[in-house]
mmCIF file of all heavy atoms in Angstrom:
data_model
loop_
_atom_site.group_PDB
_atom_site.id
_atom_site.type_symbol
_atom_site.label_atom_id
_atom_site.label_comp_id
_atom_site.label_asym_id
_atom_site.label_seq_id
_atom_site.Cartn_x
_atom_site.Cartn_y
_atom_site.Cartn_z
ATOM 1 N N GLY A 1118 142.135 161.596 262.561
ATOM 2 C CA GLY A 1118 143.267 160.755 262.916
ATOM 3 C C GLY A 1118 144.582 161.382 262.503
ATOM 4 O O GLY A 1118 144.631 162.523 262.018
ATOM 5 N N GLY A 1119 145.656 160.639 262.687
ATOM 6 C CA GLY A 1119 146.969 161.179 262.342
ATOM 7 C C GLY A 1119 147.095 161.507 260.870
ATOM 8 O O GLY A 1119 147.535 162.596 260.492
ATOM 9 N N VAL A 1120 146.723 160.586 260.010
ATOM 10 C CA VAL A 1120 146.730 160.844 258.569
ATOM 11 C C VAL A 1120 145.689 161.905 258.236
ATOM 12 O O VAL A 1120 145.934 162.824 257.440
ATOM 13 C CB VAL A 1120 146.460 159.547 257.782
ATOM 14 C CG1 VAL A 1120 146.329 159.830 256.286
ATOM 15 C CG2 VAL A 1120 147.571 158.529 258.016
ATOM 16 N N GLY A 1121 144.526 161.801 258.869
ATOM 17 C CA GLY A 1121 143.417 162.697 258.561
ATOM 18 C C GLY A 1121 143.714 164.164 258.810
ATOM 19 O O GLY A 1121 143.383 165.021 257.981
ATOM 20 N N LEU A 1122 144.339 164.481 259.952
ATOM 21 C CA LEU A 1122 144.609 165.889 260.251
ATOM 22 C C LEU A 1122 145.645 166.475 259.301
ATOM 23 O O LEU A 1122 145.581 167.658 258.964
ATOM 24 C CB LEU A 1122 145.069 166.044 261.702
ATOM 25 C CG LEU A 1122 144.008 165.803 262.774
ATOM 26 C CD1 LEU A 1122 144.567 166.123 264.163
ATOM 27 C CD2 LEU A 1122 142.749 166.632 262.525
ATOM 28 N N ILE A 1123 146.591 165.649 258.871
ATOM 29 C CA ILE A 1123 147.533 166.125 257.853
ATOM 30 C C ILE A 1123 146.799 166.327 256.536
ATOM 31 O O ILE A 1123 146.999 167.325 255.835
ATOM 32 C CB ILE A 1123 148.696 165.125 257.691
ATOM 33 C CG1 ILE A 1123 149.512 165.058 258.986
ATOM 34 C CG2 ILE A 1123 149.594 165.522 256.518
ATOM 35 C CD1 ILE A 1123 150.571 163.967 258.999
ATOM 36 N N ALA A 1124 145.895 165.398 256.204
ATOM 37 C CA ALA A 1124 145.132 165.514 254.959
ATOM 38 C C ALA A 1124 144.256 166.758 254.951
ATOM 39 O O ALA A 1124 144.124 167.432 253.923
ATOM 40 C CB ALA A 1124 144.273 164.267 254.753
ATOM 41 N N CYS A 1125 143.636 167.082 256.093
ATOM 42 C CA CYS A 1125 142.805 168.292 256.178
ATOM 43 C C CYS A 1125 143.605 169.521 255.775
ATOM 44 O O CYS A 1125 143.138 170.357 254.977
ATOM 45 C CB CYS A 1125 142.295 168.480 257.610
ATOM 46 S SG CYS A 1125 141.067 167.285 258.180
ATOM 47 N N GLN A 1126 144.807 169.641 256.317
ATOM 48 C CA GLN A 1126 145.639 170.818 256.053
ATOM 49 C C GLN A 1126 146.173 170.824 254.626
ATOM 50 O O GLN A 1126 146.211 171.864 253.965
ATOM 51 C CB GLN A 1126 146.807 170.842 257.045
ATOM 52 C CG GLN A 1126 146.364 170.926 258.503
ATOM 53 C CD GLN A 1126 147.535 170.757 259.456
ATOM 54 O OE1 GLN A 1126 148.319 171.677 259.684
ATOM 55 N NE2 GLN A 1126 147.661 169.553 260.023
ATOM 56 N N TRP A 1127 146.576 169.663 254.153
ATOM 57 C CA TRP A 1127 147.145 169.571 252.802
ATOM 58 C C TRP A 1127 146.061 169.864 251.765
ATOM 59 O O TRP A 1127 146.303 170.554 250.775
ATOM 60 C CB TRP A 1127 147.744 168.192 252.581
ATOM 61 C CG TRP A 1127 148.887 168.147 251.599
ATOM 62 C CD1 TRP A 1127 148.927 168.723 250.369
ATOM 63 C CD2 TRP A 1127 150.139 167.474 251.767
ATOM 64 N NE1 TRP A 1127 150.121 168.447 249.744
ATOM 65 C CE2 TRP A 1127 150.897 167.684 250.571
ATOM 66 C CE3 TRP A 1127 150.691 166.693 252.776
ATOM 67 C CZ2 TRP A 1127 152.183 167.138 250.399
ATOM 68 C CZ3 TRP A 1127 151.969 166.166 252.589
ATOM 69 C CH2 TRP A 1127 152.699 166.392 251.428
ATOM 70 N N ALA A 1128 144.855 169.340 251.994
ATOM 71 C CA ALA A 1128 143.754 169.602 251.072
ATOM 72 C C ALA A 1128 143.447 171.101 251.006
ATOM 73 O O ALA A 1128 143.242 171.664 249.922
ATOM 74 C CB ALA A 1128 142.512 168.821 251.493
ATOM 75 N N LYS A 1129 143.422 171.741 252.168
ATOM 76 C CA LYS A 1129 143.165 173.189 252.203
ATOM 77 C C LYS A 1129 144.239 173.942 251.429
ATOM 78 O O LYS A 1129 143.935 174.867 250.660
ATOM 79 C CB LYS A 1129 143.109 173.674 253.649
ATOM 80 C CG LYS A 1129 142.796 175.152 253.781
ATOM 81 C CD LYS A 1129 142.718 175.576 255.232
ATOM 82 C CE LYS A 1129 142.418 177.070 255.354
ATOM 83 N NZ LYS A 1129 142.340 177.495 256.784
ATOM 84 N N ALA A 1130 145.496 173.542 251.612
ATOM 85 C CA ALA A 1130 146.593 174.210 250.910
ATOM 86 C C ALA A 1130 146.487 174.044 249.400
ATOM 87 O O ALA A 1130 146.899 174.923 248.639
ATOM 88 C CB ALA A 1130 147.931 173.665 251.405
ATOM 89 N N LEU A 1131 145.913 172.922 248.957
ATOM 90 C CA LEU A 1131 145.760 172.662 247.521
ATOM 91 C C LEU A 1131 144.504 173.290 246.934
ATOM 92 O O LEU A 1131 144.289 173.256 245.723
ATOM 93 C CB LEU A 1131 145.721 171.149 247.266
ATOM 94 C CG LEU A 1131 147.016 170.371 247.497
ATOM 95 C CD1 LEU A 1131 146.753 168.872 247.384
ATOM 96 C CD2 LEU A 1131 148.095 170.802 246.509
ATOM 97 N N GLY A 1132 143.641 173.842 247.789
ATOM 98 C CA GLY A 1132 142.388 174.405 247.301
ATOM 99 C C GLY A 1132 141.339 173.348 247.022
ATOM 100 O O GLY A 1132 140.491 173.514 246.138
ATOM 101 N N VAL A 1133 141.381 172.259 247.795
ATOM 102 C CA VAL A 1133 140.452 171.140 247.627
ATOM 103 C C VAL A 1133 139.369 171.207 248.689
ATOM 104 O O VAL A 1133 139.641 171.500 249.858
ATOM 105 C CB VAL A 1133 141.215 169.801 247.730
ATOM 106 C CG1 VAL A 1133 140.266 168.618 247.826
ATOM 107 C CG2 VAL A 1133 142.157 169.643 246.534
ATOM 108 N N THR A 1134 138.128 170.945 248.305
ATOM 109 C CA THR A 1134 137.022 170.852 249.261
ATOM 110 C C THR A 1134 137.026 169.444 249.842
ATOM 111 O O THR A 1134 136.799 168.467 249.121
ATOM 112 C CB THR A 1134 135.675 171.126 248.582
ATOM 113 O OG1 THR A 1134 135.673 172.475 248.084
ATOM 114 C CG2 THR A 1134 134.522 170.945 249.557
ATOM 115 N N MET A 1135 137.289 169.331 251.133
ATOM 116 C CA MET A 1135 137.383 168.014 251.765
ATOM 117 C C MET A 1135 136.166 167.757 252.633
ATOM 118 O O MET A 1135 135.840 168.551 253.518
ATOM 119 C CB MET A 1135 138.661 167.914 252.599
ATOM 120 C CG MET A 1135 138.808 166.591 253.344
ATOM 121 S SD MET A 1135 140.481 166.390 253.974
ATOM 122 C CE MET A 1135 140.189 165.304 255.374
ATOM 123 N N ILE A 1136 135.482 166.646 252.359
ATOM 124 C CA ILE A 1136 134.425 166.143 253.223
ATOM 125 C C ILE A 1136 135.060 165.048 254.072
ATOM 126 O O ILE A 1136 135.572 164.066 253.546
ATOM 127 C CB ILE A 1136 133.255 165.559 252.413
ATOM 128 C CG1 ILE A 1136 132.681 166.601 251.444
ATOM 129 C CG2 ILE A 1136 132.165 165.040 253.343
ATOM 130 C CD1 ILE A 1136 131.668 166.024 250.452
ATOM 131 N N GLY A 1137 135.051 165.215 255.389
ATOM 132 C CA GLY A 1137 135.706 164.265 256.261
ATOM 133 C C GLY A 1137 134.722 163.580 257.187
ATOM 134 O O GLY A 1137 133.813 164.225 257.713
ATOM 135 N N THR A 1138 134.890 162.273 257.390
ATOM 136 C CA THR A 1138 134.053 161.572 258.361
ATOM 137 C C THR A 1138 134.811 161.439 259.677
ATOM 138 O O THR A 1138 136.039 161.292 259.701
ATOM 139 C CB THR A 1138 133.630 160.175 257.884
ATOM 140 O OG1 THR A 1138 134.779 159.327 257.806
ATOM 141 C CG2 THR A 1138 132.938 160.243 256.540
ATOM 142 N N VAL A 1139 134.068 161.484 260.783
ATOM 143 C CA VAL A 1139 134.623 161.387 262.128
ATOM 144 C C VAL A 1139 133.664 160.579 262.992
ATOM 145 O O VAL A 1139 132.519 160.335 262.619
ATOM 146 C CB VAL A 1139 134.839 162.786 262.752
ATOM 147 C CG1 VAL A 1139 135.891 163.581 261.980
ATOM 148 C CG2 VAL A 1139 133.525 163.565 262.797
ATOM 149 N N GLY A 1140 134.133 160.210 264.194
ATOM 150 C CA GLY A 1140 133.307 159.402 265.071
ATOM 151 C C GLY A 1140 132.649 160.144 266.204
ATOM 152 O O GLY A 1140 131.898 159.559 266.995
ATOM 153 N N SER A 1141 132.894 161.460 266.313
ATOM 154 C CA SER A 1141 132.277 162.253 267.378
ATOM 155 C C SER A 1141 132.271 163.717 266.972
ATOM 156 O O SER A 1141 133.030 164.136 266.085
ATOM 157 C CB SER A 1141 133.048 162.088 268.697
ATOM 158 O OG SER A 1141 134.325 162.707 268.617
ATOM 159 N N ASP A 1142 131.434 164.495 267.648
ATOM 160 C CA ASP A 1142 131.387 165.926 267.352
ATOM 161 C C ASP A 1142 132.700 166.606 267.723
ATOM 162 O O ASP A 1142 133.125 167.559 267.061
ATOM 163 C CB ASP A 1142 130.220 166.577 268.106
ATOM 164 C CG ASP A 1142 128.865 166.134 267.569
ATOM 165 O OD1 ASP A 1142 128.811 165.635 266.420
ATOM 166 O OD2 ASP A 1142 127.855 166.279 268.298
ATOM 167 N N GLU A 1143 133.342 166.113 268.795
ATOM 168 C CA GLU A 1143 134.626 166.690 269.197
ATOM 169 C C GLU A 1143 135.678 166.480 268.116
ATOM 170 O O GLU A 1143 136.451 167.395 267.787
ATOM 171 C CB GLU A 1143 135.090 166.068 270.517
ATOM 172 C CG GLU A 1143 134.249 166.414 271.736
ATOM 173 C CD GLU A 1143 132.936 165.642 271.806
ATOM 174 O OE1 GLU A 1143 132.776 164.632 271.063
ATOM 175 O OE2 GLU A 1143 132.067 166.053 272.595
ATOM 176 N N LYS A 1144 135.696 165.290 267.540
ATOM 177 C CA LYS A 1144 136.649 165.026 266.466
ATOM 178 C C LYS A 1144 136.292 165.829 265.220
ATOM 179 O O LYS A 1144 137.179 166.267 264.472
ATOM 180 C CB LYS A 1144 136.691 163.530 266.155
ATOM 181 C CG LYS A 1144 137.387 162.707 267.230
ATOM 182 C CD LYS A 1144 137.561 161.250 266.821
ATOM 183 C CE LYS A 1144 138.371 160.472 267.844
ATOM 184 N NZ LYS A 1144 138.624 159.075 267.442
ATOM 185 N N GLY A 1145 135.003 166.068 265.019
ATOM 186 C CA GLY A 1145 134.590 166.896 263.891
ATOM 187 C C GLY A 1145 135.095 168.312 264.023
ATOM 188 O O GLY A 1145 135.567 168.921 263.050
ATOM 189 N N ALA A 1146 135.017 168.855 265.237
ATOM 190 C CA ALA A 1146 135.519 170.214 265.476
ATOM 191 C C ALA A 1146 137.026 170.275 265.245
ATOM 192 O O ALA A 1146 137.548 171.262 264.699
ATOM 193 C CB ALA A 1146 135.174 170.647 266.899
ATOM 194 N N LEU A 1147 137.726 169.218 265.634
ATOM 195 C CA LEU A 1147 139.179 169.176 265.434
ATOM 196 C C LEU A 1147 139.513 169.157 263.946
ATOM 197 O O LEU A 1147 140.399 169.889 263.483
ATOM 198 C CB LEU A 1147 139.740 167.938 266.130
ATOM 199 C CG LEU A 1147 141.252 167.767 266.136
ATOM 200 C CD1 LEU A 1147 141.924 168.898 266.897
ATOM 201 C CD2 LEU A 1147 141.640 166.413 266.747
ATOM 202 N N ALA A 1148 138.801 168.340 263.180
ATOM 203 C CA ALA A 1148 139.052 168.274 261.742
ATOM 204 C C ALA A 1148 138.770 169.615 261.068
ATOM 205 O O ALA A 1148 139.542 170.068 260.215
ATOM 206 C CB ALA A 1148 138.203 167.165 261.113
ATOM 207 N N LYS A 1149 137.669 170.255 261.443
ATOM 208 C CA LYS A 1149 137.335 171.558 260.843
ATOM 209 C C LYS A 1149 138.395 172.598 261.190
ATOM 210 O O LYS A 1149 138.754 173.439 260.355
ATOM 211 C CB LYS A 1149 135.958 172.022 261.316
ATOM 212 C CG LYS A 1149 134.808 171.222 260.742
ATOM 213 C CD LYS A 1149 133.517 172.032 260.638
ATOM 214 C CE LYS A 1149 133.575 172.988 259.458
ATOM 215 N NZ LYS A 1149 132.260 173.581 259.132
ATOM 216 N N ALA A 1150 138.902 172.535 262.426
ATOM 217 C CA ALA A 1150 139.925 173.491 262.837
ATOM 218 C C ALA A 1150 141.212 173.331 262.026
ATOM 219 O O ALA A 1150 142.014 174.263 261.943
ATOM 220 C CB ALA A 1150 140.226 173.329 264.322
ATOM 221 N N HIS A 1151 141.390 172.167 261.424
ATOM 222 C CA HIS A 1151 142.591 171.916 260.624
ATOM 223 C C HIS A 1151 142.336 172.065 259.127
ATOM 224 O O HIS A 1151 143.220 171.739 258.320
ATOM 225 C CB HIS A 1151 143.145 170.528 260.946
ATOM 226 C CG HIS A 1151 143.855 170.465 262.255
ATOM 227 N ND1 HIS A 1151 143.189 170.430 263.464
ATOM 228 C CD2 HIS A 1151 145.180 170.453 262.562
ATOM 229 C CE1 HIS A 1151 144.066 170.384 264.440
ATOM 230 N NE2 HIS A 1151 145.269 170.405 263.931
#
């Protein structure tokens, strides 16, 4: 989601391992790409 994609990037920048939940494989690929 909107908050989620920002969180994915911010977590990566902080060196945090983020486990994210999504509602479809397509959304999962989007989250991983971020």
Side-chain angles (χ1 to χ4, degrees):
V1120 174
L1122 290 185
I1123 295 172
C1125 290
Q1126 299 172 78
W1127 208 313
K1129 182 179 179 180
L1131 291 172
V1133 169
T1134 297
M1135 177 167 154
I1136 303 171
T1138 67
V1139 295
S1141 69
D1142 291 341
E1143 292 77 14
K1144 288 187 175 183
L1147 185 63
K1149 289 208 76 168
H1151 284 76

